[in-house]
Amino acid sequence: MDCLLHFTDESTLAGQIAAVWGVTALPIDRHRFPDGELRLRLPATLPPRVTLLRSLANPNEKLIELVLAAGTARELGASHLTLVAPYLAYMRQDIAFHPGEAVSQRLVGRLLAGLFDRVITVDPHLHRVATLGEAIACAQPVALSAAPLLGALVASRRPGAMLVGPDEESAQWVAQAAQAHGLAHRVCRKVRTGDRAVQVALPEGPYAGRAVVLLDDMCSTGHTAAQTAAALLAAGAASVDIAVTHALFATGAEATLREAGIGEIWSTDCIPHPSNAVAVAPLLAAALREVAESTET
């Protein structure tokens, strides 16, 4: 029998996954010492196959949690460990842009591959790397996509809307969502000059009178989406909303989106946020069921 380990701040998603999958969700007790170090306590006995749920938004401390939890689970008898990270951090830095820079994708991928037999995530932010297996080379990686689920939401909330990707990296998700639900789509070109400085060029429309929904894997500062929305509204779009897999939303991001004229903000619950409108538990549970069946002896 499988079990699903989780931290208490993700108990809602863990419960949803466990209910759909048909396994028991077990919490990990977490204590912080006065000096900042962590103490974890897992269930005293574990089955051979164990899944750990940890979405890696605000990842730095959570990576230490994974080291402690995975090592302890092995000591308690787990022979096959799966990490479910609905959001997988440190994927954007896939090359060294300047001498001496850490290639965090490769290094974090190596860490995860050493801890887990399989890693399951949703819409990882891969750019110059084509597959998740290239980023996490030694594990058995599974990259799911929430794009069709977001497309279904858009089709129900904005029938006939045009999907627009704010940059070339979004093309894969926009195409998936559009094709799954018969929606028109376009992809913009982006030139980034800093963390919060971008220029967006719209492709040929038509946009006049159209309901447009921006779709991407994540939104962090909101500046790219805001520039795209402003350009679309200037081109005559009737409305602009946004749908993303990962609601990272740095401080001030939502205000930036609203000031640019964006109406609705929708996201999946890969990262808990008030904008969550799409549940990923069925998607993750289906993948976990396949993993369990493939590892049965």
Side-chain angles (χ1 to χ4, degrees):
M1 175 63 72
D2 295 80
C3 75
L4 178 64
L5 296 179
H6 65 93
F7 292 84
T8 55
D9 59 324
E10 293 183 308
S11 58
T12 298
L13 180 57
Q16 293 169 348
I17 294 171
V20 177
W21 185 15
V23 301
T24 301
L26 300 173
I28 296 173
D29 181 72
R30 180 181 183 276
H31 172 76
R32 184 188 298 278
F33 291 106
D35 61 3
E37 291 186 4
L38 299 174
R39 182 196 67 202
L40 303 185
R41 186 169 68 243
L42 280 63
T45 58
L46 291 173
R49 292 195 310 267
V50 172
T51 296
L52 173 62
L53 171 68
R54 199 53 167 153
S55 200
L56 294 176
N58 302 310
N60 296 344
E61 187 169 271
K62 292 177 182 177
L63 289 172
I64 296 298
E65 292 174 349
L66 294 186
V67 172
L68 298 176
T72 305
R74 297 284 190 191
E75 293 173 355
L76 293 171
S79 58
H80 189 280
L81 274 177
T82 296
L83 171 65
V84 175
Y87 173 67
L88 188 58
Y90 284 113
M91 290 294 105
R92 62 166 60 89
Q93 183 85 13
D94 54 11
I95 63 171
F97 295 96
H98 305 283
E101 279 187 346
V103 183
S104 55
Q105 182 190 91
R106 182 170 63 233
L107 297 171
V108 172
R110 190 179 301 157
L111 170 68
L112 298 178
L115 294 174
F116 297 95
D117 300 290
R118 194 178 302 257
V119 175
I120 298 175
T121 190
V122 182
D123 290 333
H125 192 79
L126 305 177
H127 186 195
R128 284 158 290 269
V129 169
T131 67
L132 184 60
E134 295 173 66
I136 309 177
C138 299
Q140 297 171 301
V142 177
L144 307 172
S145 182
L149 301 178
L150 290 170
L153 176 77
V154 171
S156 66
R157 302 283 183 91
R158 296 287 185 269
M162 176 185 287
L163 296 181
V164 171
D167 56 30
E168 297 93 332
E169 293 176 26
S170 67
Q172 57 182 306
W173 297 292
V174 173
Q176 285 185 63
Q179 291 166 9
H181 301 284
L183 300 171
H185 68 285
R186 301 285 189 276
V187 176
C188 301
R189 288 188 300 105
K190 178 180 73 175
V191 177
R192 180 178 291 281
T193 57
D195 287 345
R196 297 174 182 267
V198 295
Q199 294 180 336
V200 174
L202 290 182
E204 186 175 348
Y207 304 107
R210 297 291 298 267
V212 177
V213 177
L214 303 179
L215 192 142
D216 207 350
D217 66 318
M218 67 172 67
C219 183
S220 180
T221 66
H223 283 79
T224 299
Q227 284 226 3
T228 308
L232 287 165
L233 292 169
S239 63
V240 179
D241 305 302
I242 184 170
V244 297
T245 301
H246 303 300
L248 291 171
F249 295 130
T251 301
E254 291 174 82
T256 298
L257 298 177
R258 300 297 188 193
E259 290 167 4
I262 290 176
E264 296 295 327
I265 301 172
W266 301 306
S267 66
T268 76
D269 57 0
C270 287
I271 298 173
H273 189 267
S275 64
N276 291 167
V278 172
V280 295
L283 181 70
L284 294 169
L288 286 165
R289 191 176 293 113
E290 290 184 12
V291 169
E293 292 172 355
S294 69
T295 56
E296 286 178 353
T297 56

